[in-house]
Amino acid sequence: MIRKILLKIKTGLALKKNDAIRVSDAYKEAKKIGLLYSLDENRSEELVKDLIAKFESDQKQISAMTFVPVAAKLSDPGYAYFNEKDLNAKGNWSKETVSQFKNEPFDFLVSLDWNQNKYTQNILAGSKAKCRVGRYEEGKDQYFEMMINPNDDKYASYLTQVYHYLTNVRNG
């Protein structure tokens, strides 16, 4: 309970104190893309893998981090992940891979979640990414420089639009 309260406070502070330079490069010049998402039984892992393959075919270095709730009872899903137990009593991430991901200066950090949760919001708030991208959600604009409002409620459409809009980012 205290961890969750501290997480909310730390997320708010991270939003206020984050000194990352938010200037996005053109997609063709981007080198590193981070993908952040939560485990969701309604989401097809194949769709995420297809998106990763598209980015990799464009010669982008991809790092993905997945929030896997403890309730999912996955001990080692075979990819970089974190859960609520990785949050220590002071509201900091105890798992080094989470801290590294949060501090990585990605050219684009893309949230693939349909709805944000407090754990992924914390990573977005403290991220050093040049441009944070996510689905449009009212009241969540402080977490993103680019928000995508999908045409429909299909996850596949959202991922298609993520790729479309990112590949069309040009220098100003």
Side-chain angles (χ1 to χ4, degrees):
M1 180 67 166
I2 290 181
R3 287 181 191 175
K4 290 180 182 179
I5 293 169
L6 284 173
L7 180 66
K8 187 174 182 177
I9 292 168
K10 293 252 182 185
T11 300
L13 289 172
L15 282 170
K16 290 178 184 174
K17 293 184 177 186
N18 194 328
D19 59 354
I21 298 169
R22 307 276 187 214
V23 179
S24 57
D25 292 329
Y27 177 80
K28 66 181 182 178
E29 295 169 8
K31 293 173 181 54
K32 293 182 182 180
I33 297 176
L35 301 177
L36 177 65
Y37 63 100
S38 302
L39 181 70
D40 182 349
E41 58 212 33
N42 298 320
R43 175 182 302 130
S44 166
E45 286 296 314
E46 287 305 311
L47 291 174
V48 174
K49 287 178 184 176
D50 289 346
L51 180 64
I52 291 170
K54 285 180 183 180
F55 287 138
E56 289 176 339
S57 72
D58 294 340
Q59 281 74 50
K60 307 303 177 198
Q61 180 184 340
I62 304 299
S63 296
M65 181 64 66
T66 308
F67 172 70
V68 179
V70 171
K73 297 183 180 176
L74 290 177
S75 58
D76 185 10
Y79 45 79
Y81 76 99
F82 66 104
N83 61 39
E84 41 288 56
K85 287 189 175 183
D86 295 321
L87 193 64
N88 67 25
K90 293 182 180 180
N92 298 318
W93 295 107
S94 59
K95 200 171 201 177
E96 187 60 32
T97 54
V98 178
S99 298
Q100 288 172 347
F101 187 85
K102 191 174 179 178
N103 291 315
E104 183 67 36
F106 295 111
D107 295 301
F108 296 98
L109 174 57
V110 183
S111 170
L112 300 179
D113 284 344
W114 196 257
N115 296 303
Q116 300 302 313
N117 63 57
K118 61 184 147 244
Y119 304 103
T120 56
Q121 282 178 348
N122 177 267
I123 291 174
L124 288 164
S127 171
K128 304 298 182 202
K130 293 178 184 176
C131 182
R132 300 167 297 174
V133 180
R135 188 182 79 81
Y136 174 79
E137 215 179 319
E138 195 168 322
K140 305 289 182 173
D141 58 328
Q142 69 270 33
Y143 297 102
F144 303 107
E145 284 68 51
M146 175 191 261
M147 297 179 87
I148 298 169
N149 195 4
N151 298 333
D152 56 36
D153 61 354
K154 294 182 175 78
Y155 190 68
S157 298
Y158 172 58
L159 295 187
T160 299
Q161 288 180 7
V162 164
Y163 184 75
H164 170 78
Y165 286 112
L166 278 186
T167 56
N168 283 291
V169 171
R170 311 261 186 262
N171 283 343

